[in-house]
Amino acid sequence: DPTLQRELLRMLAEAQLSSLGPRSQQSLETINQFLSDQTLVPEQRWAGTLVKIRVLIDLKEWRDANTTISEALQAKKSDSLALQGQEAEYRDHLSLLRAVSRIQQATDRYGARPSDEFEDRSRAVGELSEAMRELGDLQREASPKIAVQARLWSARAFLVQGMQDEALSRLTNVRL
């Protein structure tokens, strides 16, 4: 059944991404195969695109991840009133992944936290300013599920910036 096979491809790509070991490249190949199907409905394409972006971030292919996010955010919005809520959630998730990508890049460049309390992290602060603004917007305006993820990622970003107290404050405000 082609419909079942199509949905299984997306689930397989997610499983490959989540499995232990270097399976991200396999996951990318699987999700690209899934996304090449021209008969996907919007919800399927959105779910597949989110998996692809997560894979690209995992592979540290920042340029491809950011390009995919930008293209998805610039895509024409659906005309279907029935899909408006789902599409808004999808777009919020894209914004979250854009911030995650920036945080992961900064983490690779500067480390997860300063080695001592006097280490200058001003460059990390500058690089993460847009991500922090985006995460703040998501915490206020997105669905509870995405807002919680945004709060957790903002805590990670504060750690990268050397702001442990702010990170702890964000973590203590998380409600799961």
Side-chain angles (χ1 to χ4, degrees):
D1 179 20
T3 306
L4 180 60
Q5 180 184 6
R6 178 177 52 216
E7 194 57 31
L8 288 174
L9 276 174
R10 183 184 59 80
M11 292 173 18
L12 176 61
E14 285 186 81
Q16 288 168 330
L17 178 61
S18 300
S19 69
L20 297 175
R23 307 287 297 257
S24 294
Q25 193 60 46
Q26 278 182 303
S27 181
L28 183 60
E29 292 166 10
T30 303
I31 202 62
N32 281 336
Q33 181 182 354
F34 172 78
L35 289 169
S36 70
D37 185 342
Q38 298 302 310
T39 64
L40 295 175
V41 296
E43 303 97 303
Q44 292 170 321
R45 186 157 306 282
W46 297 337
T49 300
L50 293 174
V51 172
K52 179 177 181 173
I53 294 165
R54 288 182 21 235
V55 170
L56 290 169
I57 290 170
D58 192 60
L59 289 169
K60 299 181 182 196
E61 293 185 17
W62 311 121
R63 181 170 290 147
D64 290 343
N66 294 328
T67 299
T68 303
I69 292 167
S70 294
E71 288 172 356
L73 285 170
Q74 292 171 2
K76 181 182 178 294
K77 290 186 177 181
S78 173
D79 295 328
S80 170
L81 292 175
L83 293 177
Q84 281 183 346
Q86 287 176 293
E87 186 170 15
E89 178 108 357
Y90 166 66
R91 290 180 172 276
D92 285 344
H93 210 125
L94 289 169
S95 295
L96 176 67
L97 288 173
R98 181 170 45 200
V100 167
S101 176
R102 290 177 177 150
I103 294 165
Q104 294 287 65
Q105 287 177 69
T107 301
D108 280 0
R109 194 171 293 121
Y110 303 107
R113 62 177 49 103
S115 55
D116 67 64
E117 65 181 287
F118 300 109
E119 184 179 335
D120 180 17
R121 288 291 177 117
S122 58
R123 293 179 81 182
V125 171
E127 285 182 31
L128 291 175
S129 63
E130 182 63 25
M132 295 302 289
R133 185 200 57 74
E134 202 159 33
L135 291 171
D137 291 347
L138 290 170
Q139 289 174 55
R140 286 186 304 279
E141 300 166 10
S143 70
K145 179 181 175 183
I146 291 178
V148 165
Q149 290 178 47
R151 189 171 302 277
L152 291 170
W153 278 101
S154 69
R156 272 187 87 172
F158 276 124
L159 283 174
V160 172
Q161 297 172 75
M163 302 177 192
Q164 284 78 7
D165 292 340
E166 289 85 350
L168 184 59
S169 173
R170 289 292 186 275
L171 290 173
T172 58
N173 289 322
V174 172
R175 289 177 184 83
L176 300 176

